[in-house]
Amino acid sequence: MPNHRRTSPRYLQLARLIQERIDAGEFPAGSRLPSEPEMCAEFGVNRLTVREAVAELERAAAIEIRRGVGTFVRPPVARVSIAVDPRSQRFDMGSTHTSLPDSTAGQGMDVQETITAALPAGTATTDEEAARHLGRPVAVLSRVESVFSIGPESWGISTYWMPSALLPRELAAPGPVENLVRTLADSAGITLEYDWRAFSAIGADIGDADILGVPAGSPLLVREGVSCTPDGEPVLYVRRRIQGERARFVLNFRDPGPPLPQPPAPPARSTRPA
């Protein structure tokens, strides 16, 4: 039987070997990789092979090349799960915030949302789309832009549209906000529920790429939808873009129910002689 396996180029073999050492902890996050001459001597390859292997690892976001300084191992990517639980899927209390702690706990990372702009909706295609979703004229809507960051890195961008009459003062100027959806609901004295949510993927445009620090065209996951009052009046349209490698969306279709009762603890054994 013919062998259809193809031998990988030498630079890919080297890149995989270095990646295996990174995964094994031989090169921990933040550490500096050996220099080109050192890797040439250790692996018996020429400089071109080393450079191609390093470039491949950089494309895979495993390492960071700092010109004039060296090549360093990047920290593991923080992945954020955004879950829809059947027991609470009707309530919109800022689902991004409620899902973050499980993903970032123990990693020493602070999660922050910062408003970057708040302005009247204009003639952009996204403004017109928001107006259709909310069933209101563009002229009565405001648009709020914000950036989510984990530690020092931006990982997502959110754009919110809402009636200008409901925009509270706390959201009308740039600055940090604890929970934008909850702030809006509390200020307006309303309860917000999910009307619908949709998920898709796009390539980052120039603006989003610049904010997130990724090349234009990089994959972004999009989560968008409308939130409404309990009587069904659309109030808020949100469009959130997240770096593709940093997030996953989870839909839990089964209600886990209450936790199972634990068996009683065995009686304490006496230490006195019989």
Side-chain angles (χ1 to χ4, degrees):
M1 180 179 295
N3 185 356
H4 295 288
R5 294 190 63 185
R6 188 175 59 179
T7 303
S8 299
R10 191 69 182 273
Y11 77 91
L12 279 181
Q13 296 178 36
L14 177 57
R16 289 170 184 161
L17 178 58
I18 296 173
Q19 181 67 67
E20 288 173 0
R21 292 190 175 186
I22 292 173
D23 295 340
E26 184 174 338
F27 299 135
S31 65
R32 182 175 177 174
L33 290 183
S35 65
E36 278 188 8
E38 290 171 331
M39 284 196 275
C40 288
E42 179 178 357
F43 300 112
V45 296
N46 58 40
R47 287 199 173 201
L48 178 60
T49 299
V50 170
R51 289 172 185 172
E52 291 179 331
V54 168
E56 194 72 16
L57 290 166
E58 184 183 31
R59 281 192 289 271
I63 62 172
E64 176 186 4
I65 299 175
R66 302 176 190 171
R67 305 298 176 188
V69 179
T71 302
F72 296 83
V73 179
R74 291 175 60 91
V77 171
R79 296 186 183 275
V80 177
S81 295
I82 299 177
V84 177
D85 190 311
R87 295 172 299 179
S88 59
Q89 60 184 343
R90 291 295 301 166
F91 300 100
D92 185 353
M93 293 304 291
S95 56
T96 297
H97 285 337
T98 59
S99 62
L100 282 174
D102 290 340
S103 305
T104 58
Q107 299 183 37
M109 292 179 288
D110 294 324
V111 180
Q112 178 68 61
E113 181 178 15
T114 302
I115 295 174
T116 57
L119 61 163
T123 58
T125 302
T126 51
D127 291 333
E128 295 172 354
E129 181 182 2
R132 289 195 300 271
H133 288 313
L134 295 175
R136 302 169 189 260
V138 173
V140 305
L141 298 180
S142 286
R143 181 176 73 238
V144 177
E145 305 276 358
S146 73
V147 175
F148 282 95
S149 59
I150 299 178
E153 296 188 5
S154 300
W155 67 270
I157 302 170
S158 291
T159 307
Y160 305 86
W161 288 265
M162 67 200 74
S164 299
L166 298 181
L167 181 64
R169 182 178 302 175
E170 302 95 306
L171 306 181
V177 58
E178 183 175 351
N179 188 305
L180 191 147
V181 176
R182 184 177 291 117
T183 300
L184 171 64
D186 290 346
S187 175
I190 58 177
T191 298
L192 287 177
E193 299 181 350
Y194 291 153
D195 185 17
W196 59 268
R197 288 295 184 270
F199 305 90
S200 59
I202 61 171
D205 62 23
I206 296 297
D208 286 353
D210 183 51
I211 293 172
L212 295 174
V214 299
S218 296
L220 302 181
L221 295 179
V222 180
R223 177 179 181 264
E224 62 181 324
V226 167
S227 297
C228 61
T229 60
D231 60 3
E233 179 187 3
V235 172
L236 179 71
Y237 172 62
V238 59
R239 186 171 182 268
R240 184 167 290 130
R241 290 89 72 202
I242 306 171
Q243 293 187 47
E245 79 278 6
R246 291 182 177 268
R248 64 183 186 134
F249 298 114
V250 181
L251 300 178
N252 299 313
F253 290 102
R254 293 190 61 192
D255 186 342
L260 295 175
Q262 297 297 314
R269 180 177 298 175
S270 174
T271 58
R272 290 195 296 177

